[in-house]
Amino acid sequence: MEPIAIISIFVLAVFVGFEVVSKVSSTLHTPLMSGANAIHGVILVGAIIVADHSSTNLELGLAVAAIILATINMVGGFVVTDRMLEMFKPKKGGENK
Amino acid sequence: MSHFLYSLIGLAAGICFILALKGLSTPKTARRGNIIGAVGATIATVVVFFNAQEGESLPLNNLGWILGAIALGVVIGVPAARKVQMTQMPQLVALFNGVGGGAAALVAIVEYLHLGDSANTAEVIATVFTVIVGCVSFSGSIITFLKLQELMTTRPVVFPGGRFVIAGTLAATLGVAVWVVAALGTNPLLILAALALAFGILFVLPVGGADVPIVISLLNAFTGLTVAASGYVLDSTLLIIAGTLVGASGTILTRMMAEAMGRSLFGTLFGAFTAKPQQASGAADERPVRSGSPDDVAILLNYARRVVIVPGFGLAVAQAQHTVRELADLLISKGIDVAYGIHPVAGRMPGHMNVLLAEANVPYDQLAEMDEVNPTFAQTDVAIVIGANDVVNPAAKTSPGAPIYGMPILEVANAANIIFLKRSMRPGFAGIENELLYDPKTMLLFGDAKASLTKVVSALKNL
């Protein structure tokens, strides 16, 4: 990929990341952190790619370890976030704060 | 699958992540946001099986290993996430973040081994960055986990000359990083990983009590950046987008958390370099306290006009959220004005109390944030502090040496009467004595919060 394309993607993603979470009530700080935590579990994709082109047992072993860890991060992260948010089921009439 | 189509689907996953973060920022859409994020991650994972890398063919090599490893990860991760108690969620998040950082570091190491001498300088720099930050995130998160799980002391761990050791480790890490970039080679990279792991431990050890959640959030942002750097090395736009999003939003979130707690982010970050050994605060051990019975508490409450309930971690531990709601309903039925005073960081994580009370269906309008409730304590007859300590500790205002100094607190001292429901005289998470316990208008009710509250409720019914 062209360096300028990579830099553009990076800089734009930084701004999007800043903007989407600019105003969040403290109630949601923990679930938001947990959700973001689950999203970076997508490193699983990277782990699968390196496992695919591993040519030695050492590389494959490390890649398999990376896949296990990344899966725990991603799947566990989304499940635990959902459990936190279960508590925010909409209430009748109550003002969400 | 053509590379174009693959990239397009990756872009769709990236958009899912943006929508996920956006959704998670508002209570109404939070749950949907999380599900959108999970959908994005699933799409990204599935599609990678249908895209042949350059010079490779489908199906993926080592497919059995890959699927087996994913299955194992699911078998470990899902039950852990489902079974964990509400009180232990913060440390589970820390642990998940740590393994994510570890995974990013491993991916970088494998790719480095694979590329060998063909890696260009930019790729090596990105690899070195990922290995350092991923390892720091991994070992740092493990320490925060141990602290929150109380498998080690929750107080800041500071040893003489500690800051020089930390600065030395950091300098050595950076030195070796330059060496790896200049000389290449597997051994320097492994030394680098070891140094970064050590630095992660040293970096988090001096962080005490209330600052731990801020550090978890910061390490979370770090892990995001490592994912972005891996994306560069692996030529994956999706990883760059996802990692950068988490890095950027995580940084903002860390700052917001620090503000909510009245901590300077800088102070937290560089606490490792500035922390001084704590003086033992044993000034006030032998003084008398006034303890009461559930009946005393019930009488006090029965004749109050306004009651503020201040919940803390003890409430979560005792799972007393339903009982506390029963008490509040009973008081309201007697025409008493009841509010919950929620400190932004009561419990072990920002929002911990809101989540817990929402589970007991406490109406939102009874939950008052700190700025709302503080001016009302002067008109409050009884403040009931349930398993909270640091968030009402006046030391945060009066004693500059205290680890929590500067943190805004709930000013329950202004209420006419204060009731503390505590298990023991043990100090709170930050490990500092609370002067308020010795205040003449304070009454202590010792015991498990749920058991105590149940007794108070039945005493109140008999009045």
Side-chain angles (χ1 to χ4, degrees):
Chain A
M1 222 188 305
E2 288 286 315
I4 187 64
I6 291 172
I7 294 170
S8 308
I9 292 169
F10 177 75
V11 173
L12 291 174
V14 167
F15 276 89
V16 173
F18 281 169
E19 286 303 317
V20 288
V21 300
S22 58
K23 272 180 245 140
V24 184
S25 102
S26 62
T27 316
L28 280 170
H29 284 175
T30 301
L32 179 59
M33 170 166 72
S34 182
N37 176 40
I39 290 174
H40 68 51
V42 77
I43 185 66
L44 175 59
V45 170
I48 294 172
I49 293 173
V50 295
D52 174 35
H53 64 214
S54 290
S55 42
T56 66
N57 285 339
L58 175 65
E59 287 176 29
L60 181 60
L62 294 174
V64 164
I67 293 176
I68 297 170
L69 295 181
T71 310
I72 294 174
N73 180 192
M74 184 167 106
V75 180
F78 283 118
V79 173
V80 84
T81 311
D82 190 61
R83 272 196 58 199
M84 288 181 195
L85 295 170
E86 246 172 34
M87 321 294 181
F88 286 97
K89 274 181 289 214
K91 306 261 174 351
K92 47 181 165 75
E95 166 67 13
N96 283 355
K97 220 167 171 184
Chain B
M1 186 183 291
S2 76
H3 191 72
F4 179 74
L5 183 59
Y6 173 68
S7 304
L8 212 57
I9 296 173
L11 182 61
I15 291 169
C16 284
F17 295 149
I18 296 174
L19 294 175
L21 291 173
K22 185 77 192 157
L24 280 166
S25 309
T26 321
K28 275 181 198 152
T29 56
R31 202 163 181 202
R32 194 171 64 211
N34 184 53
I35 290 168
I36 294 174
V39 168
T42 310
I43 294 174
T45 309
V46 169
V47 79
V48 76
F49 285 95
F50 297 98
N51 177 58
Q53 295 292 313
E54 253 177 72
E56 308 279 348
S57 59
L58 288 176
L60 301 186
N61 303 314
N62 310 314
L63 188 62
W65 283 104
I66 294 173
L67 293 174
I70 292 177
L72 185 57
V74 171
V75 167
I76 297 170
V78 172
R82 294 190 87 121
K83 290 203 185 117
V84 68
Q85 307 220 330
M86 276 309 295
T87 45
Q88 292 174 334
M89 268 184 198
Q91 47 267 52
L92 190 68
V93 174
L95 207 55
F96 284 160
N97 177 54
V99 297
L106 285 173
V107 168
I109 292 172
V110 176
E111 188 64 8
Y112 185 80
L113 295 173
H114 180 74
L115 286 176
D117 294 338
S118 69
N120 67 39
T121 309
E123 283 168 343
V124 176
I125 291 173
T127 303
V128 163
F129 173 83
T130 308
V131 170
I132 295 176
V133 182
C135 287
V136 168
S137 188
F138 177 72
S139 62
S141 296
I142 301 294
I143 298 293
T144 57
F145 169 78
L146 294 176
K147 283 188 182 229
L148 289 168
Q149 192 72 24
E150 298 190 356
L151 292 172
M152 62 175 287
T153 174
T154 56
R155 298 179 184 213
V157 177
V158 181
F159 43 92
R163 70 180 94 173
F164 300 110
V165 177
I166 296 168
T169 312
L170 180 61
T173 308
L174 296 177
V176 174
V178 173
W179 179 27
V180 174
V181 174
L184 300 179
T186 311
N187 288 338
L189 194 72
L190 295 180
I191 296 171
L192 183 69
L195 280 168
L197 287 172
F199 178 71
I201 295 170
L202 293 168
F203 175 66
V204 178
L205 275 180
V207 176
D211 286 343
V212 170
I214 302 180
V215 169
I216 297 176
S217 176
L218 183 75
L219 293 174
N220 182 41
F222 277 4
T223 308
L225 291 178
T226 63
V227 172
S230 316
Y232 172 69
V233 178
L234 296 171
D235 203 17
S236 162
T237 320
L238 172 66
L239 289 186
I240 299 179
I241 295 176
T244 312
L245 276 175
V246 175
S249 59
T251 308
I252 295 286
L253 184 60
T254 308
R255 215 187 63 195
M256 288 193 297
M257 274 193 190
E259 273 171 14
M261 301 169 70
R263 316 293 287 166
S264 95
L265 189 51
F266 185 85
T268 308
L269 284 189
F270 297 98
F273 300 102
T274 54
K276 295 180 191 68
Q278 294 293 319
Q279 290 160 352
S281 55
D285 282 337
E286 304 291 325
R287 287 183 294 158
V289 293
R290 186 163 68 109
S291 67
S293 71
D295 292 310
D296 299 331
V297 173
I299 291 167
L300 209 51
L301 290 172
N302 198 37
Y303 297 102
R305 269 165 306 161
R306 181 178 162 80
V307 173
V308 174
I309 300 170
V310 177
F313 187 64
L315 181 83
V317 173
Q319 291 289 306
Q321 63 273 30
H322 296 282
T323 323
V324 81
R325 185 186 173 212
E326 205 187 327
L327 175 68
D329 289 349
L330 190 59
L331 293 174
I332 291 168
S333 74
K334 287 174 181 281
I336 301 166
D337 186 13
V338 178
Y340 294 83
I342 310 290
H343 191 279
V345 295
R348 290 288 157 84
M349 281 269 152
H352 203 165
M353 289 302 120
N354 303 63
V355 170
L356 204 66
L357 292 172
E359 194 198 340
N361 290 318
V362 172
Y364 283 111
D365 55 4
Q366 287 175 16
L367 305 184
E369 287 185 17
M370 183 169 57
D371 299 337
E372 267 174 78
V373 79
N374 263 346
T376 68
F377 275 117
Q379 291 92 48
T380 298
D381 301 298
V382 184
I384 319 177
V385 183
I386 305 172
N389 196 346
D390 296 333
V391 297
V392 296
N393 193 338
K397 287 165 71 181
T398 55
S399 93
I404 59 168
Y405 183 69
M407 179 172 85
I409 57 163
L410 286 165
E411 289 160 2
V412 294
N414 296 338
N417 293 283
I418 310 161
I419 299 169
F420 269 92
L421 268 61
K422 281 178 73 62
R423 276 173 300 177
S424 65
M425 286 298 286
R426 232 166 58 103
F429 192 53
I432 12 173
E433 196 70 54
N434 191 343
E435 282 297 313
L436 216 49
L437 296 177
Y438 305 99
D439 194 295
K441 60 185 180 185
T442 297
M443 184 191 282
L444 295 161
L445 180 56
F446 287 112
D448 171 78
K450 191 173 182 178
S452 298
L453 281 170
T454 311
K455 285 181 204 153
V456 173
V457 169
S458 62
L460 204 54
K461 279 179 182 161
N462 291 332
L463 277 177

